[in-house]
Amino acid sequence: MQPTAERYGSGHINETYLLTCPEGPRYILQKINTSIFPDADALMDNIRRVTEHIRSKHPDDPRCTLTVLDYSKPWRQYVFIEGARTYDLIERPDQAYKVAKAFARFQNDLADLPGPRLHDIIPRFHDTRHRLEQLDAAAKADVKGRLKDVAAEMAFVDAHRDEAGRILDLMASGAIPERITHNDTKINNVMLDDATGEGVAVIDLDTTMPGCALYDFGDMVRTSTAAAAEDERDLSKVFSRKEYFEQLVRGYLSEAKFLNEAELANLAFSGRLITFTIGIRFLADYLAGDVYFHTACEDHNLVRCRTQFKMVESMEAQAAEYEAIVREAARG
Ligand code: GN1
Ligand code: MG
């Protein structure tokens, strides 16, 4: 029998295949999207250093991180992690606890990665001011004539522009430190054990680079507290779930002991900020003609943008409660 390859997962960037060999182990075969990651060698260099370091911390746990088997630009092959799976949406608050704990462990494991500094794979990746500039440029060019359809979304952006620099300014002043972060901590980038539900490994390490711990936490809030899929059309189903947020905070703080005062004070805000920022990116891509994210239908990026902005509204409506949850959990 021949090995078989089938399209796998729901990532928006790379092409991913599950490779099954008869009676043999399974592999993940992935074609790196080199228009988004032009320096695939630097990306793989980061991934090798990161995975080897994590492995050295958990020598008895073969599933603790990805294993790079082969790399020949733009293709790479990983060992498939068996007995665990990813979720696009979680169904119970305790899963949020486990997800956050796994991402916090990832950050902890990498806190003492020896130098040199990791490559900046996508510069200014979570820089909201930069994302606003890209949105404004896409709106100005309006290559597909779509700007007329997004007046409400552009108004939402305008009403939130003054929040864009809050974390950037705290980083520039040194109040919030640079750390090694994952930068794409969406729920489907962590594998949970089929039997125990515990976090097994953090995957999709393409954007692991120097960053801000808050952006990682924020993207967990965006995806792990969401009651509906990122591309749900019925916005009445889209909101942020407080019980999930609470477990997310508790799971994260159970491991992320390194956070300073400024980081703790902005934990709840980071969820709104990253969700806003990802919404801006979907909107900019919609206006630019869907050149970045994989899309399955004409208005896919616009639908995604709308869910993000609805999530921001939902988090804003619960801001006082979310702040109180963080304060309570941080007290221990
Ligand atoms: C992309 O690759 P994937 O689907 O895990 C994107 C993230 C976005 C996310 C939105 C390199 O992640 O930044 O938050 O889509 N990755 C890159 O779902 O841009
Ligand atoms: Mg992914």
Side-chain angles (χ1 to χ4, degrees):
M1 257 170 53
Q2 293 291 317
T4 56
E6 60 189 283
R7 258 324 249 275
Y8 192 75
S10 49
H12 295 340
I13 308 290
N14 297 315
E15 259 177 56
T16 308
Y17 300 88
L18 173 65
L19 201 66
T20 308
C21 305
E23 289 153 40
R26 297 194 288 175
Y27 303 98
I28 286 292
L29 190 64
Q30 210 167 36
K31 187 175 183 195
I32 301 169
N33 184 332
T34 49
S35 60
I36 289 174
F37 300 115
D39 196 347
D41 293 342
L43 180 153
M44 290 309 293
D45 184 49
N46 276 3
I47 292 184
R48 282 188 204 278
R49 287 178 56 202
V50 161
T51 51
E52 278 163 24
H53 192 71
I54 294 176
R55 196 164 297 290
S56 74
K57 300 259 163 126
H58 308 281
D60 303 325
D61 179 4
R63 301 189 303 166
C64 66
T65 189
L66 292 169
T67 307
V68 183
L69 264 189
D70 208 353
Y71 164 61
S72 173
K73 193 167 146 180
W75 291 91
R76 66 182 167 205
Q77 188 177 0
Y78 292 123
V79 174
F80 185 80
I81 298 175
E82 299 285 355
R85 52 165 293 204
T86 61
Y87 296 79
D88 287 331
L89 206 59
I90 46 176
E91 288 133 24
R92 296 189 322 270
D94 67 286
Q95 291 173 307
Y97 186 97
K98 289 167 176 154
V99 164
K101 198 173 156 190
F103 280 123
R105 185 179 82 157
F106 177 86
Q107 291 180 337
N108 256 337
D109 284 347
L110 293 175
D112 61 352
L113 181 80
R117 191 173 178 269
L118 290 174
H119 306 282
D120 264 319
I121 294 301
I122 302 183
R124 303 183 74 186
F125 190 54
H126 287 310
D127 180 328
T128 314
R129 284 193 187 116
H130 171 59
R131 297 302 187 180
L132 282 169
E133 284 161 17
Q134 291 178 323
L135 173 66
D136 292 338
K140 193 161 177 231
D142 193 21
V143 291
K144 294 272 174 181
R146 290 172 166 176
L147 185 60
K148 61 181 183 333
D149 306 325
V150 300
E153 289 73 24
M154 291 302 285
F156 185 90
V157 170
D158 286 340
H160 290 81
R161 277 182 194 264
D162 57 352
E163 292 186 345
R166 182 154 143 192
I167 290 178
L168 290 167
D169 291 345
L170 286 166
M171 287 194 82
S173 74
I176 290 184
E178 178 180 279
R179 302 185 189 278
I180 296 175
T181 53
H182 182 278
N183 293 302
D184 188 8
T185 54
K186 67 198 247 194
I187 172 73
N188 65 17
N189 283 335
V190 59
M191 302 198 67
L192 302 183
D193 188 272
D194 288 338
T196 64
E198 293 294 333
V200 173
V202 166
I203 59 169
D204 197 349
L205 307 179
D206 295 339
T207 50
T208 300
M209 59 184 163
C212 171
L214 288 175
Y215 296 147
D216 275 6
F217 184 74
D219 209 47
M220 291 178 224
V221 179
R222 176 178 86 82
T223 56
S224 293
T225 74
E230 191 179 70
D231 57 359
E232 172 59 58
R233 281 177 185 272
D234 179 355
L235 290 180
S236 71
K237 294 183 180 156
V238 179
F239 52 91
S240 174
R241 297 172 292 188
K242 190 173 83 176
E243 335 67 272
Y244 288 66
F245 180 79
E246 179 161 8
Q247 291 307 313
L248 201 65
V249 173
R250 292 190 181 281
Y252 189 61
L253 295 185
S254 74
E255 287 275 326
K257 301 291 183 197
F258 48 79
L259 297 173
N260 73 16
E261 288 284 312
E263 288 171 305
L264 281 172
N266 283 283
L267 221 48
F269 172 68
S270 73
R272 306 202 296 273
L273 181 70
I274 276 293
T275 309
F276 176 54
T277 309
I278 306 291
I280 292 172
R281 290 175 57 199
F282 287 139
L283 185 56
D285 198 36
Y286 180 68
L287 293 175
D290 309 316
V291 291
Y292 188 94
F293 297 104
H294 291 165
T295 50
C297 55
E298 164 102 12
D299 61 351
H300 210 160
N301 274 316
L302 180 57
V303 170
R304 289 170 176 151
C305 159
R306 288 180 173 147
T307 62
Q308 301 311 292
F309 291 172
K310 178 73 198 294
M311 281 291 291
V312 173
E313 280 175 352
S314 172
M315 288 181 227
E316 283 172 347
Q318 302 177 83
E321 291 159 88
Y322 279 23
E323 299 287 355
I325 286 171
V326 173
R327 275 196 304 276
E328 179 68 22
R331 261 203 300 273

